[in-house]
Amino acid sequence: QSALAQPPSASGSPGQSVTISCTGTSSDVGGYIYVSWYQHHPGKAPELMIYDVNERPSGVPDRFSGSKSGNTASLTVSGLQAEDEADYYCSSYAGSNIVLFGGGTKLTVL
Amino acid sequence: EVQLVQSGTEVKKPGESLKISCKGSGYSFSNYWIAWVRQMPGKGLEWMGIIYPDDSHAIYSPSFQGQVTISADKSISTAYLHWSSLKASDTAIYYCARPRGSSTSSYGYWGQGTLVTVSS
């Protein structure tokens, strides 16, 4: 089982939208709805932003949305704000109670 | 309020053993999986394994099987991550995390992280 593939970096200006992809296989991303996205600011604990592909925990702004097509999941951040600058990680259930993380994407707000 | 509180920073030498802890509160500790996640310096998150405290059933990532031991003591609501012989490459921040529901993924609750430094 390999880590899920994410682009190492993404960027956008305040107010713009940015989409981060997460590519796996039919044994993980493509095979289950259990795809999650985490925001991680250095020095802090990661925060769950999206679960089950497109569900938002309470308190997460609706600027954050998730989707999935085949073996690729995506996180879209709309109306970018300065505080959205962080590392973003996807994760997916991979069967047998195993979870895989993506390599992470550093989002820069220009 | 669900809280996971981890033990403090550790500085150890190669070959030493170490056990770090994660104490849960604000919920029924026995009935929710606890996962361990590694972040090496400058690198991403890696899922190490997970344990169900009620029966101490542990599942490991193939990458970490045999390298660490995950355990739990439900009587004191605490999960552990143990190394019998540390290596310099074990230097990392280690997080414990709890799923938001009964699943084994979607970690809605995280500990503050434990920094482990292994150096001669």
Side-chain angles (χ1 to χ4, degrees):
Chain A
Q1 290 146 328
S2 302
L4 307 175
Q6 295 183 234
S9 64
S11 63
S13 299
Q16 288 187 331
S17 293
V18 64
T19 296
I20 299 170
S21 63
C22 170
T23 301
T25 70
S26 59
S27 296
D28 38 70
V29 175
Y32 303 95
I33 67 164
Y34 306 118
V35 175
S36 302
W37 289 91
Y38 300 88
Q39 180 188 69
H40 191 200
H41 289 105
K44 296 183 65 177
E47 180 182 357
L48 180 67
M49 306 302 283
I50 296 288
Y51 67 97
D52 294 355
V53 174
N54 57 11
E55 299 292 331
R56 266 188 318 275
S58 65
V60 173
D62 60 7
R63 303 185 294 102
F64 292 85
S65 62
S67 63
K68 189 182 82 165
S69 177
N71 298 336
T72 298
S74 299
L75 171 73
T76 298
V77 186
S78 305
L80 270 175
Q81 298 182 6
E83 60 262 34
D84 298 332
E85 186 162 296
D87 297 321
Y88 290 84
Y89 295 89
C90 63
S91 75
S92 175
Y93 183 73
S96 302
N97 288 322
I98 298 284
V99 171
L100 296 176
F101 277 101
T105 298
K106 183 177 181 59
L107 175 60
T108 301
V109 181
L110 302 170
Chain B
E1 179 195 6
V2 174
Q3 282 194 313
L4 298 173
V5 178
Q6 298 184 229
S7 50
T9 296
E10 300 278 358
V11 180
K12 307 291 278 185
K13 290 181 166 39
E16 292 184 332
S17 64
L18 174 65
K19 181 183 278 191
I20 62 175
S21 65
C22 168
K23 183 174 177 60
S25 62
Y27 71 100
S28 177
F29 183 81
S30 294
N31 300 125
Y32 290 85
W33 294 87
I34 290 284
W36 286 96
V37 176
R38 181 177 80 174
Q39 185 175 36
M40 298 175 73
K43 302 297 186 182
L45 304 177
E46 298 174 272
W47 189 85
M48 302 176 70
I50 198 165
I51 190 165
Y52 193 68
D54 193 49
D55 60 6
S56 288
H57 177 51
I59 299 161
Y60 295 88
S61 161
S63 299
F64 291 93
Q65 180 83 48
Q67 307 304 307
V68 295
T69 301
I70 296 171
S71 61
D73 184 343
K74 63 182 180 180
S75 70
I76 55 172
S77 301
T78 301
Y80 301 96
L81 183 63
H82 173 251
W83 294 260
S84 58
S85 180
L86 286 160
K87 302 184 284 286
S89 57
D90 292 318
T91 295
I93 297 172
Y94 294 87
Y95 294 100
C96 63
R98 199 211 87 172
R100 59 182 306 282
S102 59
S103 73
T104 55
S105 59
S106 305
Y107 304 117
Y109 305 95
W110 292 73
Q112 81 276 21
T114 295
L115 173 61
V116 174
T117 301
V118 183
S119 175
S120 55

